[in-house]
């Protein structure tokens, strides 16, 4: 690889994302609303050829702008009736280790390193309060780097993602 391109690479080896133009932003909005939209549909809606739409979507994936495609799930209907945000205080400089532990937890759907009164915010979905209690008291509090937790039960949630 040419030395000038090495400087344009991120820590993970991928190239730095290129600036997005209006067509790229339109493609992102379409795919955000409907991740199952066909290349033809996307191309027609942004007024480019299918080849151009395909190339742009692949570039957005290669640049890490699009991280993946997935389904928006109604957790309650899927048997995950208990949801909670859990805040964690962790030992300083142990974020990467804690993150790896949290990724293995059943029902964990979002993990964020944050600033403020706590260090980590974790969103979990479990079948019921018993499973939630088990997750917090047994799994989370057994991680050596976790100093404390606070559980905030979710009574109702609203998916802010656009409806297809």
């Amino acid at each position: 690889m040419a030395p000038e391109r090495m400087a344009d690479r991120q820590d993970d080896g991928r190239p730095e994302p290129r600036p997005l133009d209006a067509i790229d932003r339109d493609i992102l909005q379409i795919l955000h609303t409907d991740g199952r939209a066909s290349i033809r549909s996307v191309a027609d809606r942004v007024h480019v050829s299918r080849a151009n739409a395909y190339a742009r979507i692949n570039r957005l994936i290669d640049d890490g702008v699009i991280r993946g495609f997935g389904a928006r799930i109604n957790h309650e209907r899927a048997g995950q009736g208990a949801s909670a945000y859990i805040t964690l205080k962790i030992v300083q400089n142990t974020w990467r280790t804690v993150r790896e532990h949290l990724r293995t937890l059943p029902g964990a759907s979002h993990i964020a390193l944050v600033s403020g009164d706590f260090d980590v915010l974790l969103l979990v979905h479990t079948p019921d309060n018993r499973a939630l209690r088990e997750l917090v008291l047994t799994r989370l509090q057994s991680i050596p780097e976790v100093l404390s937790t606070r559980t905030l039960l979710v009574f109702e949630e609203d998916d802010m993602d656009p409806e297809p």
Side-chain angles (χ1 to χ4, degrees):
M1 178 174 298
E4 64 276 0
R5 279 301 286 159
M6 288 299 279
D8 295 339
R9 296 210 166 259
Q10 302 178 98
D11 291 341
D12 62 6
R14 284 188 297 192
E16 286 290 329
R18 290 158 273 207
L20 302 181
D21 63 16
I23 293 172
D24 291 330
R25 287 190 293 278
D26 288 346
I27 289 171
L28 290 174
Q29 183 58 46
I30 291 165
L31 293 176
H32 181 70
T33 302
D34 180 8
R36 293 174 47 172
S38 68
I39 297 290
R40 172 182 238 149
S41 168
V42 171
D44 289 347
R45 291 173 64 186
V46 298
H47 310 292
V48 299
S49 70
R50 281 182 287 181
N52 188 318
Y54 183 80
R56 284 173 177 267
I57 291 169
N58 279 337
R59 178 180 48 84
L60 292 167
I61 292 168
D62 291 344
D63 285 355
V65 175
I66 295 176
R67 297 182 307 172
F69 299 88
R72 291 190 307 269
I73 299 168
N74 180 321
H75 294 283
E76 191 169 355
R77 291 187 68 126
Q80 302 289 305
S83 297
Y85 285 96
I86 304 169
T87 65
L88 296 87
K89 288 187 181 182
I90 62 173
V91 174
Q92 190 172 355
N93 296 321
T94 61
W95 161 242
R96 287 177 180 83
T97 302
V98 171
R99 179 179 57 196
E100 293 312 309
H101 283 288
L102 298 179
R103 284 180 172 163
T104 68
L105 293 176
S109 66
H110 186 83
I111 304 165
L113 179 65
V114 297
S115 65
D117 294 337
F118 49 89
D119 304 304
V120 178
L121 182 63
L122 171 67
L123 174 60
V124 297
H125 304 282
T126 61
D128 52 36
N129 283 343
R130 180 175 301 222
L132 177 60
R133 182 182 68 226
E134 175 70 19
L135 183 115
V136 173
L137 297 179
T138 303
R139 301 286 298 268
L140 282 178
Q141 293 183 357
S142 70
I143 299 171
E145 298 83 3
V146 172
L147 300 173
S148 67
T149 64
R150 176 175 282 167
T151 303
L152 307 164
L153 292 177
V154 174
F155 295 127
E156 186 175 321
E157 55 188 322
D158 188 10
D159 190 0
M160 298 300 290
D161 289 334
E163 294 296 321

